[in-house]
Amino acid sequence: MNKLIVGLTLAALTVGGFSQPAQAGIPFFGADDEKPTLAPMLEDVTPAVVNISVKGKREVRQRVPDALRFFFGPNAPSERVQERPFRGLGSGVIIDADKGYVVTNNHVIDDASEIVVTLKNGREYDAKLVGRDEQSDIALLQIEDAEDLTDIEIGKSSELRVGDFVVAIGNPFGLGQTVTSGIVSALSRANLGIEELENFIQTDAAINSGNSGGALVTLDGKLIGINTAILGPNGGNIGIGFAIPADMMRNLVQQLIEFGEVRRGVLGVRGNDLNSDIADALDISVSEGAFVAEVVPESAADKAGIQSGDVIVSVNGDEIASFQELGALISTLGSGTKVDLELIRDGERQDVQVTLDAQDTETSAQSIHPALEGATLEADGSNDGIRITEVETGSPAARIGLEKGDIIKGANRQPISNLGDLREAIDNAGDVVALSIQRGNSVRYLMLRNPAS
């Protein structure tokens, strides 16, 4: 397994990216002849797939040689940190033409200060980051001041079967838009060490560097995956590519649009994959599913009546193959979401509805700015700022003067409606970030020193 992980490559062209070819199987026929062709479908779909180019700076850490440290004394740093400019290429998919929303991989735009989207017809537009999710490697961009865009219909990836024909579209090696074809080789691939949340579609459609964020579509032109990674020596294509399922992407994007971040739902179970030994011990006939070894007290699962020893076999009507797949699906659904689970208990199938708990949000406050650690931030989707719902006594957030009930209305004179806006404003700020805070009927400014400066 370790040898396989060494060959895994993310698909952005900054250092690696991807896209891969496949052979079409279900023929389409042109109007004037009967030669098999995918051209009619691609003529409709390819305008929705874009090239993405990014610029930015990244920290590079270099170890200081022991000889130099000795020369400069015992207080000399053990490493030297430098900022170096970088450029990168990738792909993206327009999912909403009216609002200019483009989905891509987080690793395509990571650390980027400038994002440019190029359409198939050569038009270029600046894009801003709406929000991103590092754990699943999804990012949502918005094209600014664009007209006459073409979007793509999002299909239901849960209906895919191994053997279905698919087409990968992207920008491999910066060549420009390229189309390859193949089949679905496997579903629910996990434990690859690529992302924290893994539930990949595997395909032999050729995916190479630069195809990250590109589209994986069915032969009727529906988006069923976002191309993300490949398995191969030196980043080359050997017919094993991975895409994030469209169902998973859709759930994440809805939260990024509403909140500027992903607010993960939590089920509250621990367990492992169902195997033959467990199935024999429980005397059940199914061979795949998520075995529940422990239910967290007072969790969503506990309140819904899920018990240790249950085997969860489907989520919202879609069968699951493993505990890892259960975790990936639940983690892409928002807190407060009602989820229908089918489980097996004592050999009998039962249906259970669970309302997912909210994941702890204090870490997201700290990740936005260290000085906000200890504050619980809430954006209710009303575009009326970010509310401080709790502040821990003695925390950094308390020391800088934040109080429960405060509302962050702006940063550096930019209005703030969600956590994505706040994160972007801080990332683009200089040495100091000026937060506009509404407290009751008064407004005050809070100055934060930006650690990135």
Side-chain angles (χ1 to χ4, degrees):
M1 186 64 182
N2 290 335
K3 292 182 179 178
L4 293 179
I5 298 301
V6 169
L8 287 167
T9 305
L10 294 175
L13 191 56
T14 317
V15 183
F18 48 100
S19 159
Q20 267 188 343
Q23 300 92 22
I26 300 177
F28 289 84
F29 297 93
D32 300 327
D33 54 43
E34 293 191 354
K35 294 179 181 178
T37 177
L38 295 174
M41 178 272 287
L42 291 171
E43 288 170 356
D44 292 334
V45 168
T46 51
V49 182
V50 301
N51 297 345
I52 296 175
S53 58
V54 299
K55 297 179 182 178
K57 292 182 179 181
R58 286 188 177 135
E59 285 188 353
V60 178
R61 297 179 179 271
Q62 294 179 317
R63 185 177 180 277
V64 177
D66 291 339
L68 286 178
R69 292 184 64 202
F70 178 79
F71 179 79
F72 287 109
N75 295 325
S78 60
E79 62 180 10
R80 181 174 56 182
V81 181
Q82 292 180 317
E83 276 194 342
R84 292 184 180 177
F86 76 92
R87 294 172 180 262
L89 297 174
S91 306
V93 186
I94 300 173
I95 60 168
D96 189 325
D98 293 334
K99 296 182 179 178
Y101 288 138
V102 177
V103 173
T104 185
N105 285 136
N106 178 65
H107 73 263
V108 171
I109 53 83
D110 196 24
D111 294 326
S113 57
E114 179 180 330
I115 304 173
V116 176
V117 170
T118 303
L119 307 185
K120 182 185 177 183
N121 60 16
R123 288 185 295 165
E124 293 186 353
Y125 297 97
D126 292 332
K128 68 175 183 179
L129 178 65
V130 176
R132 61 185 181 180
D133 181 45
E134 295 181 7
Q135 293 187 41
S136 63
D137 201 14
I138 284 290
L140 180 66
L141 311 177
Q142 188 170 30
I143 300 175
E144 300 177 334
D145 303 321
E147 298 178 352
D148 300 323
L149 297 177
T150 299
D151 55 25
I152 190 170
E153 182 180 353
I154 302 176
K156 191 171 183 181
S157 56
S158 60
E159 296 178 352
L160 280 177
R161 298 177 301 169
V162 173
D164 285 349
F165 287 94
V166 289
V167 176
I169 311 170
N171 178 30
F173 301 110
L175 291 172
Q177 192 173 93
T178 301
V179 177
T180 60
S181 65
I183 64 169
V184 174
S185 305
L187 297 169
S188 303
R189 285 296 193 208
N191 298 313
L192 300 173
I194 304 175
E195 310 295 348
E196 290 186 49
L197 297 177
E198 297 181 343
N199 184 31
F200 291 118
I201 301 166
Q202 181 181 326
T203 179
D204 67 349
I207 294 174
N208 293 288
S209 294
N211 268 84
S212 279
L216 189 70
V217 304
T218 55
L219 294 191
D220 59 354
K222 294 181 181 178
L223 179 71
I224 46 83
I226 300 296
N227 300 323
T228 299
I230 57 174
L231 177 64
N234 303 316
N237 164 45
I238 60 171
I240 302 178
F242 301 101
I244 299 169
D247 294 351
M248 187 171 169
M249 177 273 294
R250 183 194 289 109
N251 292 332
L252 295 167
V253 164
Q254 288 173 348
Q255 295 178 64
L256 293 175
I257 291 173
E258 185 173 359
F259 305 116
E261 66 168 2
V262 173
R263 297 186 173 183
R264 302 194 188 285
V266 178
L267 180 59
V269 296
R270 301 185 181 97
N272 48 271
D273 298 347
L274 179 67
N275 55 37
S276 58
D277 292 335
I278 298 175
D280 290 342
L282 297 176
D283 192 24
I284 58 177
S285 58
V286 297
S287 57
E288 293 183 325
F291 174 69
V292 178
E294 180 184 354
V295 177
V296 178
E298 301 301 318
S299 67
D302 187 26
K303 295 172 185 176
I306 296 175
Q307 301 175 9
S308 300
D310 289 346
V311 177
I312 299 173
V313 294
S314 77
V315 177
N316 289 334
D318 299 322
E319 293 183 357
I320 59 171
S322 65
F323 195 87
Q324 179 90 3
E325 183 178 0
L326 172 68
L329 290 173
I330 293 297
S331 295
T332 60
L333 299 173
S335 59
T337 301
K338 288 182 170 57
V339 181
D340 294 320
L341 303 178
E342 184 181 10
L343 56 84
I344 297 177
R345 179 185 299 162
D346 299 328
E348 300 292 332
R349 290 181 178 261
Q350 298 186 23
D351 294 322
V352 174
Q353 188 176 78
V354 182
T355 301
L356 300 180
D357 289 333
Q359 193 177 52
D360 186 3
T361 57
E362 290 180 6
T363 54
S364 59
Q366 180 182 359
S367 69
I368 292 175
H369 196 287
L372 299 179
E373 180 182 357
T376 301
L377 311 180
E378 180 181 289
D380 59 10
S382 65
N383 296 323
D384 192 33
I386 298 172
R387 186 175 299 275
I388 310 297
T389 58
E390 294 291 340
V391 178
E392 284 187 7
T393 303
S395 67
R399 290 196 294 269
I400 64 173
L402 282 177
E403 297 180 3
K404 180 178 178 179
D406 286 351
I407 301 175
I408 302 175
K409 303 287 288 188
N412 290 355
R413 301 191 176 217
Q414 297 297 317
I416 298 298
S417 60
N418 56 51
L419 292 172
D421 290 345
L422 180 59
R423 183 179 288 109
E424 181 182 11
I426 290 176
D427 288 344
N428 294 334
D431 293 346
V432 176
V433 182
L435 297 184
S436 173
I437 307 293
Q438 180 178 324
R439 181 175 296 167
N441 295 323
S442 64
V443 176
R444 61 192 65 198
Y445 280 89
L446 184 64
M447 315 304 287
L448 308 180
R449 181 158 295 279
N450 196 338
S453 62

